[in-house]
Amino acid sequence: MSSTVITNIASLVTNDPSHESADSPLGLIQDAAVVIDGDRIAWTGESGNAPAADNRVDVGGRAVIPGFVDSHSHLVFAGDRTQEFNARMSGRSYSAGGIRTTVAATRAATDEELEANLVRYLSEALRQGTTTFETKSGYGLTVEDEARALRIASAHTDEVTYLGAHIVSPDYADDPAGYVALVTGEMLEACAPHARWIDVFCEKGAFDGDQARAVLTAGKRRGLHPRVHANQLSYGPGVQLAVELDAASADHCTHLTDADVDALAQGGTVATLLPGAEFSTRAEWPNARRLLDAGATVALSTDCNPGSSFTSSVPFCIALAVRDMGMTPDEAVWSATAGGARALRRTDVGRLVPGAYADLAVLDAPSHVHLAYRPGVPLVTEVWRHGSRVA
């Protein structure tokens, strides 16, 4: 394996605590260089001190950041919901029931169609700087369809989540208890070999607290670690359940009591905020400032899905978080990189430190602040993943 030094970096975001300052969590290094050895970071520092390497890449005074870590997406699906979005933007409110439309399309699709769709959106995300992603099942809701979704996803990422408990399957509309038994029994057995995580949509119109607890505890017994769709549409038990069960993340966190915020601040569960969903549903924005000021760990992700957040752009979500959720540009970039890694309980991504994967994005700008300062502009000009230039 050869080594490469990337030099003439105007501003390098490392997320290295040893470089943190009182003003920023990003571990910024000005006039910087990065040395890659194989698929890992070997060295970071000021360019004048860079060690020799086999290859040299000059980025011309641009900023470099860690690759984005998108810890929440739903990319194994077919069809779209253009008509639903159009109607909602004309005044109809969002509810969980719209998922059924995608379930029908996904069940009707072939494996090849589902994989081609997944690859399309992964490539789209990669071009925008996302180098690590999680994705879920949840649009099949039968044993066979959930298992095949996870098989397809696991060919493209290690961060695969079993979400049989997305909504109660239309096939069990009159027997939700029977569906929970399926999700925690036969479906779990078929899906667990292909997944790392288990998730549940704990919400009115989906699964209540008792049902969610049954799903998550069954998953834990089978070796899957919990994540929770929590408190998106209303106040509810999701956040408290997530913290109690040591879930890696509670995702959405739009409607929080003081007790919910305290639980997130004191526990090991990351609050993953998904501003694309609020943008696409005209819902109330999550209050990131409240969480950060309380000491909670916050991640930012896209929630890319065909119904409520059809975006694969982490830069777009950063801009929304800064504009409408009370985050500073530094906090938003940290949450979309190191925060996402914490939501996946990873230390080898989301940071540019020796030993971490050489996953990074080069911006056509002198600073990471431009991600929020120039919203909608395609600033990512190069993407490196595991030490190779891939976009």
Side-chain angles (χ1 to χ4, degrees):
M1 293 186 294
S2 64
S3 61
T4 300
V5 58
I6 301 176
T7 190
N8 200 8
I9 300 170
S11 178
L12 175 67
V13 173
T14 67
N15 291 333
D16 184 344
S18 68
H19 294 304
E20 283 184 14
S21 69
D23 299 326
S24 174
L26 294 179
L28 293 170
I29 303 175
Q30 308 299 329
D31 187 17
V34 173
V35 175
I36 299 170
D37 190 1
D39 62 357
R40 303 279 176 160
I41 299 294
W43 180 90
T44 63
E46 295 181 357
S47 58
N49 298 325
D54 300 320
N55 307 295
R56 180 183 178 88
V57 174
D58 187 322
V59 296
R62 293 176 171 86
V64 171
I65 64 173
F68 298 123
V69 180
D70 192 347
S71 61
H72 184 127
S73 71
H74 304 250
L75 298 180
V76 186
F77 68 89
D80 73 15
R81 280 147 65 183
T82 303
Q83 292 181 343
E84 176 189 318
F85 176 80
N86 191 36
R88 187 166 63 237
M89 292 299 102
S90 302
R92 189 176 77 199
S93 62
Y94 169 66
S95 70
I99 294 168
R100 293 178 179 87
T101 303
T102 302
V103 169
T106 302
R107 288 180 177 181
T110 66
D111 290 7
E112 292 75 18
E113 288 168 337
L114 292 177
E115 184 162 30
N117 206 45
L118 170 67
V119 169
R120 172 188 175 188
Y121 294 115
L122 293 181
S123 298
E124 183 180 276
L126 183 67
R127 292 194 300 272
Q128 298 174 89
T130 298
T131 52
T132 303
F133 68 94
E134 177 271 0
T135 199
K136 310 175 192 295
S137 65
Y139 290 128
L141 309 187
T142 67
V143 173
E144 179 182 355
D145 285 306
E146 287 295 292
R148 73 166 177 151
L150 295 172
R151 283 197 304 270
I152 291 167
S154 65
H156 298 276
T157 180
D158 295 330
E159 304 298 344
V160 179
T161 301
Y162 166 46
L163 182 59
H166 200 178
I167 60 168
V168 173
S169 169
D171 309 319
Y172 285 79
D174 298 323
D175 185 16
Y179 186 65
V180 171
L182 180 69
V183 168
T184 58
E186 181 184 356
M187 188 183 288
L188 174 61
E189 289 305 306
C191 290
H194 309 291
R196 180 184 179 197
W197 307 97
I198 187 166
D199 200 345
V200 60
F201 191 5
C202 186
E203 186 61 70
K204 293 176 182 178
F207 297 89
D208 64 25
D210 291 339
Q211 293 168 328
R213 181 187 299 278
V215 169
L216 298 175
T217 54
K220 288 187 75 171
R221 286 194 298 268
R222 192 60 176 77
L224 304 182
H225 203 86
R227 324 181 67 77
V228 184
H229 280 61
N231 301 51
Q232 177 188 4
L233 307 177
S234 59
Y235 295 97
V239 164
Q240 296 287 339
L241 182 62
V243 175
E244 176 192 335
L245 296 180
D246 187 36
S249 65
D251 297 19
H252 288 289
C253 294
T254 308
H255 300 276
L256 301 179
T257 64
D258 288 344
D260 293 333
V261 174
D262 289 344
L264 288 166
Q266 294 170 19
T269 298
V270 173
T272 299
L273 307 184
L274 308 165
E278 280 70 38
F279 177 88
S280 297
T281 60
R282 288 181 176 159
E284 176 184 342
W285 297 102
N287 189 339
R289 184 79 268 138
R290 181 184 179 199
L291 287 162
L292 291 165
D293 288 349
T297 301
V298 172
L300 277 179
S301 291
T302 63
D303 192 20
C304 186
N305 75 82
S308 60
S309 183
F310 205 3
T311 180
S312 59
S313 175
V314 174
F316 173 65
C317 293
I318 288 172
L320 291 179
V322 172
R323 169 63 177 81
D324 292 304
M325 289 162 48
M327 301 185 86
T328 68
D330 285 16
E331 289 167 340
V333 170
W334 188 95
S335 294
T337 51
R342 288 201 186 179
L344 296 175
R345 298 203 166 163
R346 298 275 296 270
T347 59
D348 56 351
V349 295
R351 307 185 301 158
L352 298 179
V353 299
Y357 280 115
D359 294 353
L360 57 89
V362 180
L363 306 181
D364 191 15
S367 166
H368 64 279
V369 176
H370 282 235
L371 290 165
Y373 180 43
R374 304 196 67 207
V377 177
L379 294 178
V380 175
T381 61
E382 288 184 30
V383 181
W384 294 63
R385 187 172 187 273
H386 287 20
S388 297
R389 189 158 30 192
V390 293

